[in-house]
Amino acid sequence: MPSHVFADHAAGQPPERGAVESLISQTRRLRGDVDAVRRDAVADHGDPAGRWQRALCDLAVHQLDDLDDHLAQLRDGPPRAEREPAAPPLPRSADPHRDSLLSRVGSAEWNLLTDEASWSCELYDILGRDPAAPPLSLDELPSLVHTGDQPLLTAMVTDCLVDGKPIDGEFRIVRPGGDVRQVHMMGEPVLAADGSTASMWAVLRDVSELRRSQRVLRETQESLRRRREIAQTEHRLAVELQEAVLPPWRGALRFARGGPTRLDLAAHYLPSSIGSLIGGDWYDAMELPDGQALLSVGDLTGNGVTVTSGMAMLLGALRGMAVAGAPPGRLMGWLNDLIDATVQPALGSAICCRYDPGTRLLTWAQAGHPAPLLFRDGTGRALTPPAGVLLGAARGAAYEQAEERLRPGDLLLLHTDGLVPRHDRDATTDLLLSLAPSLTEASSAQDCVQTLVEEFGAGARENDACLLIARC
Protein backbone atom coordinates (compact mmCIF):
# COMPACT_ATOMS: atom_id res chain seq x y z
CA MET A 1 0.00 0.00 0.00
CA PRO A 2 1.43 3.46 -0.88
CA SER A 3 2.97 5.39 2.00
CA HIS A 4 0.52 8.30 1.68
CA VAL A 5 -2.39 5.90 2.27
CA PHE A 6 -0.74 4.70 5.47
CA ALA A 7 -0.26 8.33 6.48
CA ASP A 8 -3.95 9.04 5.95
CA HIS A 9 -4.88 6.12 8.20
CA ALA A 10 -2.38 7.14 10.85
CA ALA A 11 -3.90 10.61 10.94
CA GLY A 12 -7.38 9.13 11.40
CA GLN A 13 -8.54 10.42 8.03
CA PRO A 14 -10.07 8.33 5.20
CA PRO A 15 -7.68 7.80 2.29
CA GLU A 16 -8.35 9.60 -0.96
CA ARG A 17 -10.89 7.79 -3.12
CA GLY A 18 -8.53 7.85 -6.12
CA ALA A 19 -5.79 6.12 -4.13
CA VAL A 20 -8.18 3.38 -3.01
CA GLU A 21 -9.48 2.91 -6.56
CA SER A 22 -5.86 2.50 -7.72
CA LEU A 23 -5.25 -0.14 -5.05
CA ILE A 24 -8.42 -2.00 -6.08
CA SER A 25 -7.26 -2.05 -9.71
CA GLN A 26 -3.81 -3.30 -8.70
CA THR A 27 -5.35 -5.99 -6.50
CA ARG A 28 -7.59 -7.23 -9.30
CA ARG A 29 -4.74 -7.31 -11.82
CA LEU A 30 -2.61 -9.25 -9.34
CA ARG A 31 -5.47 -11.65 -8.69
CA GLY A 32 -5.71 -12.36 -12.42
CA ASP A 33 -1.97 -12.96 -12.63
CA VAL A 34 -2.02 -15.36 -9.67
CA ASP A 35 -5.00 -17.19 -11.13
CA ALA A 36 -3.12 -17.59 -14.41
CA VAL A 37 -0.13 -19.06 -12.57
CA ARG A 38 -2.43 -21.45 -10.74
CA ARG A 39 -3.99 -22.66 -14.00
CA ASP A 40 -1.01 -22.77 -16.33
CA ALA A 41 2.23 -23.08 -14.40
CA VAL A 42 1.31 -25.83 -11.95
CA ALA A 43 -0.05 -28.93 -13.62
CA ASP A 44 1.68 -31.86 -11.94
CA HIS A 45 -0.53 -33.11 -9.09
CA GLY A 46 2.02 -35.72 -8.09
CA ASP A 47 4.85 -33.27 -7.41
CA PRO A 48 4.84 -32.24 -3.69
CA ALA A 49 6.47 -28.91 -4.56
CA GLY A 50 3.87 -28.34 -7.25
CA ARG A 51 1.03 -29.14 -4.86
CA TRP A 52 2.43 -26.65 -2.35
CA GLN A 53 2.78 -24.00 -5.04
CA ARG A 54 -0.76 -24.60 -6.26
CA ALA A 55 -2.09 -24.47 -2.71
CA LEU A 56 -0.33 -21.16 -2.08
CA CYS A 57 -1.82 -19.83 -5.32
CA ASP A 58 -5.28 -20.89 -4.09
CA LEU A 59 -4.69 -19.18 -0.76
CA ALA A 60 -3.35 -16.07 -2.49
CA VAL A 61 -6.51 -15.89 -4.59
CA HIS A 62 -8.66 -16.11 -1.43
CA GLN A 63 -6.50 -13.48 0.24
CA LEU A 64 -6.74 -11.12 -2.75
CA ASP A 65 -10.52 -11.60 -2.91
CA ASP A 66 -10.72 -10.63 0.78
CA LEU A 67 -8.47 -7.62 0.15
CA ASP A 68 -10.64 -6.53 -2.78
CA ASP A 69 -13.75 -6.68 -0.58
CA HIS A 70 -12.12 -4.67 2.19
CA LEU A 71 -10.78 -2.02 -0.20
CA ALA A 72 -14.23 -1.66 -1.75
CA GLN A 73 -15.72 -1.16 1.72
CA LEU A 74 -12.98 1.37 2.51
CA ARG A 75 -13.80 3.24 -0.71
CA ASP A 76 -17.55 3.25 -0.14
CA GLY A 77 -17.39 3.97 3.59
CA PRO A 78 -20.31 3.36 5.95
CA PRO A 79 -23.87 3.65 4.54
CA ARG A 80 -25.05 7.19 3.76
CA ALA A 81 -27.45 9.29 5.93
CA GLU A 82 -25.85 8.36 9.16
CA ARG A 83 -22.09 8.18 9.27
CA GLU A 84 -21.54 6.36 12.50
CA PRO A 85 -18.57 6.51 14.90
CA ALA A 86 -15.81 4.06 14.02
CA ALA A 87 -16.22 0.51 15.33
CA PRO A 88 -13.87 -0.45 18.21
CA PRO A 89 -10.54 -1.89 17.05
CA LEU A 90 -10.57 -5.61 16.43
CA PRO A 91 -8.67 -7.74 18.96
CA ARG A 92 -5.26 -8.85 17.76
CA SER A 93 -3.25 -11.90 18.64
CA ALA A 94 -0.60 -11.47 21.33
CA ASP A 95 1.83 -13.38 19.10
CA PRO A 96 3.48 -10.87 16.71
CA HIS A 97 4.32 -13.67 14.24
CA ARG A 98 0.59 -14.10 13.63
CA ASP A 99 0.53 -10.81 11.75
CA SER A 100 2.23 -12.43 8.72
CA LEU A 101 0.33 -14.49 6.18
CA LEU A 102 2.71 -17.45 6.24
CA SER A 103 2.49 -17.81 10.03
CA ARG A 104 -1.27 -18.38 9.53
CA VAL A 105 -0.81 -21.03 6.81
CA GLY A 106 0.25 -24.59 7.55
CA SER A 107 0.44 -27.78 5.51
CA ALA A 108 -0.03 -31.48 6.15
CA GLU A 109 0.06 -34.77 4.29
CA TRP A 110 -1.35 -38.13 5.34
CA ASN A 111 0.05 -41.24 3.62
CA LEU A 112 -2.65 -43.87 3.49
CA LEU A 113 -0.22 -46.64 2.47
CA THR A 114 2.28 -46.17 5.33
CA ASP A 115 -0.03 -44.47 7.90
CA GLU A 116 2.56 -41.72 8.17
CA ALA A 117 1.63 -38.09 8.65
CA SER A 118 3.72 -34.96 8.30
CA TRP A 119 2.85 -31.46 9.50
CA SER A 120 4.61 -28.15 8.98
CA CYS A 121 5.68 -26.22 12.05
CA GLU A 122 3.11 -23.52 11.16
CA LEU A 123 0.32 -26.09 11.39
CA TYR A 124 1.41 -27.03 14.90
CA ASP A 125 1.19 -23.37 15.81
CA ILE A 126 -2.25 -22.93 14.22
CA LEU A 127 -3.67 -25.98 15.99
CA GLY A 128 -1.95 -25.18 19.29
CA ARG A 129 -0.07 -28.49 19.35
CA ASP A 130 3.32 -29.17 20.93
CA PRO A 131 5.87 -29.30 18.04
CA ALA A 132 7.53 -32.28 19.77
CA ALA A 133 4.32 -34.32 19.63
CA PRO A 134 3.66 -36.60 16.64
CA PRO A 135 1.18 -35.33 14.04
CA LEU A 136 -2.33 -36.63 14.36
CA SER A 137 -3.74 -39.17 11.93
CA LEU A 138 -6.88 -38.46 9.92
CA ASP A 139 -8.85 -40.51 12.43
CA GLU A 140 -7.45 -38.44 15.31
CA LEU A 141 -7.80 -35.03 13.64
CA PRO A 142 -11.51 -34.57 14.58
CA SER A 143 -10.50 -34.59 18.25
CA LEU A 144 -9.19 -31.01 17.74
CA VAL A 145 -12.36 -29.87 15.98
CA HIS A 146 -15.34 -28.22 17.65
CA THR A 147 -18.01 -30.85 18.25
CA GLY A 148 -20.48 -28.92 16.10
CA ASP A 149 -18.13 -29.04 13.10
CA GLN A 150 -16.82 -32.62 13.39
CA PRO A 151 -19.44 -34.03 10.96
CA LEU A 152 -18.40 -31.38 8.40
CA LEU A 153 -14.73 -32.34 8.58
CA THR A 154 -15.57 -36.05 8.39
CA ALA A 155 -17.70 -35.49 5.30
CA MET A 156 -14.99 -33.43 3.55
CA VAL A 157 -12.27 -36.03 4.25
CA THR A 158 -14.55 -38.90 3.18
CA ASP A 159 -15.46 -37.15 -0.09
CA CYS A 160 -11.79 -36.55 -0.77
CA LEU A 161 -10.61 -40.11 -0.07
CA VAL A 162 -13.54 -42.00 -1.55
CA ASP A 163 -14.76 -39.79 -4.41
CA GLY A 164 -11.59 -37.84 -5.14
CA LYS A 165 -13.24 -34.47 -4.46
CA PRO A 166 -11.02 -31.55 -3.48
CA ILE A 167 -11.41 -30.14 0.02
CA ASP A 168 -12.42 -26.50 0.40
CA GLY A 169 -14.23 -25.65 3.61
CA GLU A 170 -14.02 -24.08 7.04
CA PHE A 171 -14.45 -25.42 10.55
CA ARG A 172 -13.65 -24.45 14.11
CA ILE A 173 -10.83 -25.93 16.15
CA VAL A 174 -10.49 -25.82 19.92
CA ARG A 175 -6.94 -25.13 21.05
CA PRO A 176 -5.61 -26.17 24.47
CA GLY A 177 -7.03 -23.77 27.02
CA GLY A 178 -10.35 -23.48 25.17
CA ASP A 179 -9.40 -20.86 22.54
CA VAL A 180 -11.62 -21.41 19.50
CA ARG A 181 -10.17 -20.58 16.07
CA GLN A 182 -11.65 -20.63 12.58
CA VAL A 183 -9.65 -22.65 10.04
CA HIS A 184 -9.98 -22.75 6.25
CA MET A 185 -8.84 -26.12 4.84
CA MET A 186 -7.98 -26.82 1.20
CA GLY A 187 -6.65 -30.15 -0.08
CA GLU A 188 -6.68 -32.89 -2.72
CA PRO A 189 -6.17 -36.65 -2.90
CA VAL A 190 -2.85 -37.93 -4.30
CA LEU A 191 -3.45 -40.90 -6.60
CA ALA A 192 -1.22 -43.93 -6.97
CA ALA A 193 -0.31 -45.42 -10.36
CA ASP A 194 -3.32 -47.74 -10.24
CA GLY A 195 -5.67 -44.80 -9.65
CA SER A 196 -6.27 -45.50 -5.96
CA THR A 197 -5.85 -42.82 -3.33
CA ALA A 198 -2.31 -43.00 -1.92
CA SER A 199 -2.35 -39.95 0.32
CA MET A 200 -4.12 -36.70 1.07
CA TRP A 201 -2.46 -33.33 1.37
CA ALA A 202 -3.97 -30.19 2.77
CA VAL A 203 -3.21 -26.58 3.50
CA LEU A 204 -4.87 -24.98 6.51
CA ARG A 205 -5.22 -21.24 7.02
CA ASP A 206 -6.19 -19.53 10.26
CA VAL A 207 -8.94 -17.11 9.19
CA SER A 208 -10.17 -16.25 12.70
CA GLU A 209 -9.28 -12.56 12.55
CA LEU A 210 -10.64 -12.21 9.03
CA ARG A 211 -13.98 -13.80 9.97
CA ARG A 212 -14.11 -11.76 13.15
CA SER A 213 -13.63 -8.54 11.19
CA GLN A 214 -16.31 -9.60 8.70
CA ARG A 215 -18.68 -10.41 11.55
CA VAL A 216 -18.07 -7.03 13.19
CA LEU A 217 -18.66 -5.36 9.83
CA ARG A 218 -21.94 -7.23 9.31
CA GLU A 219 -23.08 -6.40 12.83
CA THR A 220 -22.16 -2.74 12.33
CA GLN A 221 -24.02 -2.57 9.04
CA GLU A 222 -27.04 -4.27 10.61
CA SER A 223 -26.92 -1.79 13.49
CA LEU A 224 -26.80 1.11 11.04
CA ARG A 225 -29.70 -0.36 9.10
CA ARG A 226 -31.79 -0.66 12.28
CA ARG A 227 -30.90 2.89 13.28
CA ARG A 228 -31.95 4.15 9.86
CA GLU A 229 -35.28 2.37 10.17
CA ILE A 230 -35.81 3.77 13.66
CA ALA A 231 -34.88 7.29 12.50
CA GLN A 232 -37.20 7.03 9.50
CA THR A 233 -40.07 5.85 11.69
CA GLU A 234 -39.42 8.60 14.23
CA HIS A 235 -39.26 11.20 11.47
CA ARG A 236 -42.56 10.04 10.01
CA LEU A 237 -44.27 10.14 13.41
CA ALA A 238 -42.82 13.57 14.19
CA VAL A 239 -44.00 14.95 10.85
CA GLU A 240 -47.50 13.54 11.34
CA LEU A 241 -47.65 14.93 14.89
CA GLN A 242 -46.42 18.35 13.81
CA GLU A 243 -48.84 18.53 10.88
CA ALA A 244 -51.69 17.60 13.24
CA VAL A 245 -50.73 20.38 15.69
CA LEU A 246 -49.69 23.38 13.57
CA PRO A 247 -52.61 25.47 12.27
CA PRO A 248 -53.78 24.52 8.77
CA TRP A 249 -55.13 28.01 7.95
CA ARG A 250 -54.06 30.20 5.07
CA GLY A 251 -54.98 33.81 4.42
CA ALA A 252 -56.97 36.12 6.72
CA LEU A 253 -58.01 35.39 10.28
CA ARG A 254 -61.43 37.00 10.58
CA PHE A 255 -62.82 38.15 13.90
CA ALA A 256 -66.46 37.27 14.36
CA ARG A 257 -66.71 39.51 17.43
CA GLY A 258 -64.50 42.33 16.13
CA GLY A 259 -66.58 43.74 13.30
CA PRO A 260 -64.94 44.25 9.91
CA THR A 261 -61.41 44.43 11.32
CA ARG A 262 -59.22 41.55 10.37
CA LEU A 263 -55.65 40.33 10.38
CA ASP A 264 -54.06 39.06 7.21
CA LEU A 265 -52.01 36.07 8.38
CA ALA A 266 -49.55 33.69 6.75
CA ALA A 267 -46.94 31.34 8.17
CA HIS A 268 -44.33 28.87 7.00
CA TYR A 269 -42.28 26.05 8.49
CA LEU A 270 -38.70 25.54 7.22
CA PRO A 271 -37.29 22.08 8.03
CA SER A 272 -33.62 21.36 8.63
CA SER A 273 -31.64 20.23 5.60
CA ILE A 274 -29.17 18.34 7.81
CA GLY A 275 -30.46 15.18 9.45
CA SER A 276 -33.90 13.67 9.20
CA LEU A 277 -35.62 14.63 12.47
CA ILE A 278 -38.25 17.31 12.99
CA GLY A 279 -37.57 19.90 15.67
CA GLY A 280 -39.77 21.65 18.23
CA ASP A 281 -40.49 24.93 16.39
CA TRP A 282 -44.08 26.11 16.26
CA TYR A 283 -46.29 29.00 15.15
CA ASP A 284 -49.91 29.63 16.10
CA ALA A 285 -52.76 32.12 15.69
CA MET A 286 -56.29 31.92 17.01
CA GLU A 287 -59.25 34.16 17.86
CA LEU A 288 -60.05 34.31 21.58
CA PRO A 289 -63.55 34.45 23.11
CA ASP A 290 -63.21 38.18 23.86
CA GLY A 291 -62.58 38.96 20.17
CA GLN A 292 -58.83 39.43 20.53
CA ALA A 293 -56.21 37.39 18.71
CA LEU A 294 -53.46 35.18 20.12
CA LEU A 295 -50.24 35.08 18.10
CA SER A 296 -47.27 32.94 19.17
CA VAL A 297 -44.07 31.33 17.96
CA GLY A 298 -41.67 29.16 19.93
CA ASP A 299 -38.95 26.57 19.91
CA LEU A 300 -38.05 23.67 22.18
CA THR A 301 -34.44 22.48 22.10
CA GLY A 302 -33.74 19.13 20.45
CA ASN A 303 -35.59 17.19 17.80
CA GLY A 304 -37.58 14.02 17.22
CA VAL A 305 -40.85 12.64 18.47
CA THR A 306 -40.15 13.51 22.13
CA VAL A 307 -39.53 17.17 21.38
CA THR A 308 -42.42 17.40 18.91
CA SER A 309 -44.78 15.90 21.49
CA GLY A 310 -43.47 18.39 24.08
CA MET A 311 -44.14 21.21 21.62
CA ALA A 312 -47.67 19.91 21.11
CA MET A 313 -48.20 19.83 24.88
CA LEU A 314 -46.99 23.43 25.28
CA LEU A 315 -49.07 24.67 22.37
CA GLY A 316 -52.19 22.97 23.73
CA ALA A 317 -51.57 24.42 27.19
CA LEU A 318 -50.95 27.88 25.73
CA ARG A 319 -54.22 27.83 23.82
CA GLY A 320 -56.20 26.62 26.80
CA MET A 321 -54.76 29.19 29.21
CA ALA A 322 -55.17 32.01 26.67
CA VAL A 323 -58.85 31.12 26.19
CA ALA A 324 -59.21 31.44 29.97
CA GLY A 325 -58.15 35.10 29.65
CA ALA A 326 -54.56 35.03 30.95
CA PRO A 327 -52.35 37.90 29.69
CA PRO A 328 -49.09 37.12 27.83
CA GLY A 329 -46.75 37.62 30.80
CA ARG A 330 -48.69 35.22 32.98
CA LEU A 331 -48.92 32.73 30.10
CA MET A 332 -45.12 32.71 29.84
CA GLY A 333 -44.80 32.10 33.58
CA TRP A 334 -47.23 29.20 33.51
CA LEU A 335 -45.48 27.64 30.48
CA ASN A 336 -42.18 27.95 32.34
CA ASP A 337 -43.63 26.13 35.36
CA LEU A 338 -45.13 23.48 33.09
CA ILE A 339 -41.76 22.74 31.46
CA ASP A 340 -40.06 22.64 34.84
CA ALA A 341 -42.60 20.08 36.10
CA THR A 342 -42.35 17.70 33.16
CA VAL A 343 -40.71 14.29 33.45
CA GLN A 344 -38.16 15.25 30.79
CA PRO A 345 -37.20 18.88 31.46
CA ALA A 346 -36.14 20.95 28.47
CA LEU A 347 -35.36 24.50 27.46
CA GLY A 348 -37.44 26.59 25.13
CA SER A 349 -37.97 30.09 23.84
CA ALA A 350 -41.26 31.71 22.90
CA ILE A 351 -43.18 34.88 22.12
CA CYS A 352 -46.83 35.31 23.05
CA CYS A 353 -48.90 38.27 21.77
CA ARG A 354 -52.46 39.45 22.36
CA TYR A 355 -53.84 41.75 19.72
CA ASP A 356 -57.00 43.82 20.24
CA PRO A 357 -58.48 44.58 16.80
CA GLY A 358 -60.66 47.36 18.17
CA THR A 359 -57.83 49.43 19.66
CA ARG A 360 -55.01 47.88 17.55
CA LEU A 361 -53.06 47.39 20.78
CA LEU A 362 -50.46 44.61 20.76
CA THR A 363 -49.50 43.26 24.20
CA TRP A 364 -46.65 40.76 24.26
CA ALA A 365 -44.17 38.85 26.38
CA GLN A 366 -41.10 36.84 25.48
CA ALA A 367 -38.97 34.05 26.95
CA GLY A 368 -35.44 34.35 25.58
CA HIS A 369 -36.75 34.75 22.04
CA PRO A 370 -35.97 37.11 19.12
CA ALA A 371 -38.18 40.20 19.35
CA PRO A 372 -40.99 40.75 16.83
CA LEU A 373 -40.09 42.98 13.88
CA LEU A 374 -42.45 45.82 12.97
CA PHE A 375 -42.45 47.10 9.37
CA ARG A 376 -44.10 50.44 8.59
CA ASP A 377 -43.86 52.84 5.64
CA GLY A 378 -40.92 51.08 4.00
CA THR A 379 -38.78 50.74 7.14
CA GLY A 380 -38.55 48.22 9.94
CA ARG A 381 -37.42 47.97 13.55
CA ALA A 382 -37.24 45.38 16.30
CA LEU A 383 -39.63 45.95 19.20
CA THR A 384 -37.96 46.55 22.54
CA PRO A 385 -38.29 43.25 24.42
CA PRO A 386 -39.60 43.04 27.98
CA ALA A 387 -37.59 40.96 30.47
CA GLY A 388 -38.00 37.19 30.26
CA VAL A 389 -35.66 34.20 30.59
CA LEU A 390 -35.76 30.97 28.60
CA LEU A 391 -38.59 28.61 29.43
CA GLY A 392 -37.33 25.94 31.81
CA ALA A 393 -34.24 27.94 32.84
CA ALA A 394 -35.45 29.19 36.25
CA ARG A 395 -38.25 27.94 38.46
CA GLY A 396 -40.89 30.58 39.29
CA ALA A 397 -39.49 33.13 36.83
CA ALA A 398 -41.54 36.28 36.20
CA TYR A 399 -42.15 37.63 32.70
CA GLU A 400 -42.79 41.28 31.95
CA GLN A 401 -45.07 42.63 29.19
CA ALA A 402 -44.69 45.31 26.57
CA GLU A 403 -47.26 47.18 24.46
CA GLU A 404 -47.21 48.55 20.93
CA ARG A 405 -49.98 50.47 19.16
CA LEU A 406 -50.24 49.30 15.55
CA ARG A 407 -51.50 51.25 12.56
CA PRO A 408 -53.42 50.17 9.45
CA GLY A 409 -50.98 48.60 7.01
CA ASP A 410 -48.41 47.68 9.68
CA LEU A 411 -46.72 44.32 9.24
CA LEU A 412 -45.55 42.20 12.17
CA LEU A 413 -42.99 39.40 11.72
CA LEU A 414 -42.53 36.71 14.37
CA HIS A 415 -39.87 34.06 13.77
CA THR A 416 -37.74 31.44 15.49
CA ASP A 417 -33.95 31.20 15.56
CA GLY A 418 -32.41 29.77 12.43
CA LEU A 419 -34.62 31.59 9.93
CA VAL A 420 -31.46 32.98 8.31
CA PRO A 421 -29.00 30.05 8.16
CA ARG A 422 -25.52 30.41 9.70
CA HIS A 423 -26.13 33.87 11.16
CA ASP A 424 -26.37 34.99 14.77
CA ARG A 425 -29.40 36.77 16.15
CA ASP A 426 -28.18 40.33 15.51
CA ALA A 427 -27.11 39.56 11.93
CA THR A 428 -30.45 37.83 11.30
CA THR A 429 -32.34 40.90 12.51
CA ASP A 430 -30.32 43.23 10.28
CA LEU A 431 -30.88 41.03 7.21
CA LEU A 432 -34.61 40.82 7.85
CA LEU A 433 -34.91 44.58 8.39
CA SER A 434 -33.07 45.16 5.10
CA LEU A 435 -36.08 43.63 3.33
CA ALA A 436 -38.44 46.31 4.67
CA PRO A 437 -39.18 47.92 1.27
CA SER A 438 -40.11 44.60 -0.32
CA LEU A 439 -42.22 43.48 2.61
CA THR A 440 -44.16 46.70 3.07
CA GLU A 441 -44.93 46.87 -0.67
CA ALA A 442 -46.24 43.28 -0.77
CA SER A 443 -49.96 42.96 -1.41
CA SER A 444 -50.59 40.25 1.22
CA ALA A 445 -49.06 38.41 4.16
CA GLN A 446 -48.64 35.35 1.96
CA ASP A 447 -46.58 37.39 -0.52
CA CYS A 448 -44.35 38.47 2.39
CA VAL A 449 -43.83 34.84 3.39
CA GLN A 450 -42.97 33.98 -0.20
CA THR A 451 -40.38 36.77 -0.28
CA LEU A 452 -38.73 35.48 2.90
CA VAL A 453 -38.74 31.85 1.75
CA GLU A 454 -37.18 32.79 -1.59
CA GLU A 455 -34.53 34.83 0.21
CA PHE A 456 -33.58 32.42 3.01
CA GLY A 457 -35.22 29.07 2.31
CA ALA A 458 -32.93 27.63 -0.38
CA GLY A 459 -29.63 27.32 1.51
CA ALA A 460 -28.41 24.55 3.79
CA ARG A 461 -30.19 24.80 7.12
CA GLU A 462 -28.85 23.21 10.31
CA ASN A 463 -31.99 23.94 12.36
CA ASP A 464 -35.72 24.11 11.80
CA ALA A 465 -37.37 27.53 11.71
CA CYS A 466 -40.84 29.06 11.67
CA LEU A 467 -42.11 32.45 10.61
CA LEU A 468 -45.47 34.14 11.13
CA ILE A 469 -46.62 37.29 9.33
CA ALA A 470 -49.54 39.39 10.63
CA ARG A 471 -50.67 42.38 8.62
CA CYS A 472 -53.20 44.90 9.95
Side-chain angles (χ1 to χ4, degrees):
M1 183 178 289
S3 60
H4 70 277
V5 177
F6 280 119
D8 288 337
H9 280 291
Q13 299 296 326
E16 295 180 0
R17 186 180 182 90
V20 178
E21 291 283 5
S22 176
L23 289 173
I24 291 175
S25 297
Q26 295 175 38
T27 300
R28 291 176 180 174
R29 285 196 299 269
L30 181 57
R31 195 235 189 253
D33 293 342
V34 172
D35 200 36
V37 170
R38 181 177 60 173
R39 291 194 313 268
D40 302 332
V42 185
D44 186 359
H45 288 208
D47 179 13
R51 293 199 305 270
W52 174 251
Q53 186 178 0
R54 186 172 66 258
L56 285 181
C57 286
D58 290 339
L59 287 169
V61 167
H62 280 285
Q63 189 83 354
L64 289 169
D65 286 341
D66 292 336
L67 179 59
D68 183 69
D69 288 341
H70 288 317
L71 287 173
Q73 292 159 0
L74 178 62
R75 175 196 62 197
D76 299 337
R80 286 183 62 83
E82 43 305 276
R83 300 286 181 183
E84 296 293 325
L90 298 173
R92 299 179 63 86
S93 171
D95 181 0
H97 296 294
R98 255 183 208 284
D99 291 336
S100 67
L101 172 61
L102 291 180
S103 69
R104 288 179 276 124
V105 178
S107 63
E109 184 166 2
W110 291 272
N111 191 311
L112 303 182
L113 303 178
T114 64
D115 289 332
E116 294 177 342
S118 61
W119 287 7
S120 69
C121 59
E122 291 84 4
L123 184 56
Y124 277 95
D125 183 48
I126 291 172
L127 301 180
R129 296 278 294 173
D130 183 356
L136 298 181
S137 67
L138 285 176
D139 291 335
E140 295 170 326
L141 187 62
S143 65
L144 300 179
V145 178
H146 190 282
T147 54
D149 293 346
Q150 288 177 0
L152 173 63
L153 175 63
T154 300
M156 288 193 300
V157 171
T158 300
D159 289 343
C160 179
L161 298 180
V162 175
D163 299 327
K165 295 181 179 180
I167 293 175
D168 188 350
E170 292 186 12
F171 52 86
R172 292 166 292 174
I173 61 166
V174 182
R175 292 160 53 95
D179 182 27
V180 178
R181 309 290 294 180
Q182 188 83 9
V183 173
H184 180 214
M185 183 176 183
M186 300 177 62
E188 289 182 355
V190 180
L191 304 181
D194 61 0
S196 62
T197 303
S199 64
M200 189 189 85
W201 64 270
V203 175
L204 292 91
R205 174 188 173 201
D206 186 343
V207 294
S208 303
E209 300 305 320
L210 174 61
R211 298 300 175 248
R212 184 177 292 113
S213 68
Q214 291 172 336
R215 184 171 62 253
V216 170
L217 179 63
R218 286 195 302 271
E219 292 171 352
T220 302
Q221 292 174 332
E222 178 64 20
S223 175
L224 292 177
R225 185 189 63 79
R226 289 196 299 269
R227 291 187 185 189
R228 283 198 302 272
E229 291 178 351
I230 292 172
Q232 290 168 355
T233 300
E234 187 176 37
H235 176 261
R236 177 178 55 80
L237 292 174
V239 169
E240 291 176 356
L241 179 58
Q242 190 174 57
E243 290 177 346
V245 171
L246 294 182
W249 46 255
R250 294 292 184 271
L253 173 65
R254 300 183 182 278
F255 296 96
R257 303 171 183 82
T261 306
R262 67 173 191 157
L263 279 179
D264 183 19
L265 292 172
H268 193 76
Y269 171 77
L270 295 158
S272 168
S273 60
I274 300 176
S276 59
L277 297 181
I278 299 297
D281 292 57
W282 85 80
Y283 60 82
D284 192 28
M286 64 179 294
E287 185 182 9
L288 300 174
D290 60 3
Q292 297 188 22
L294 174 72
L295 308 177
S296 70
V297 295
D299 177 20
L300 279 183
T301 56
N303 52 31
V305 172
T306 300
V307 172
T308 307
S309 62
M311 176 269 287
M313 175 195 68
L314 284 184
L315 191 51
L318 177 63
R319 290 170 174 173
M321 293 183 293
V323 168
R330 188 175 300 172
L331 287 175
M332 290 289 101
W334 286 345
L335 289 181
N336 179 68
D337 294 341
L338 180 61
I339 288 182
D340 183 70
T342 57
V343 176
Q344 295 180 327
L347 290 175
S349 67
I351 282 181
C352 181
C353 306
R354 262 185 176 263
Y355 175 69
D356 186 340
T359 62
R360 301 189 185 277
L361 182 66
L362 181 77
T363 305
W364 67 286
Q366 64 86 28
H369 201 88
L373 304 182
L374 176 62
F375 296 88
R376 175 183 294 166
D377 299 329
T379 63
R381 63 182 174 90
L383 301 185
T384 302
V389 300
L390 285 170
L391 299 175
R395 179 175 299 179
Y399 294 84
E400 297 181 0
Q401 295 182 170
E403 294 182 348
E404 185 74 25
R405 187 81 61 179
L406 302 184
R407 302 176 186 174
D410 280 356
L411 186 147
L412 195 67
L413 168 60
L414 310 180
H415 67 90
T416 60
D417 278 328
L419 175 59
V420 181
R422 296 185 296 276
H423 283 76
D424 60 26
R425 185 172 292 187
D426 291 337
T428 293
T429 298
D430 292 340
L431 287 171
L432 292 173
L433 292 177
S434 69
L435 298 176
S438 299
L439 296 178
T440 54
E441 292 174 3
S443 59
S444 67
Q446 188 60 48
D447 288 342
C448 293
V449 167
Q450 186 64 31
T451 297
L452 292 169
V453 171
E454 291 176 353
E455 186 74 23
F456 304 118
R461 182 178 305 280
E462 296 182 0
N463 300 307
D464 298 358
C466 286
L467 64 95
L468 172 66
I469 297 285
R471 187 170 182 174
C472 296

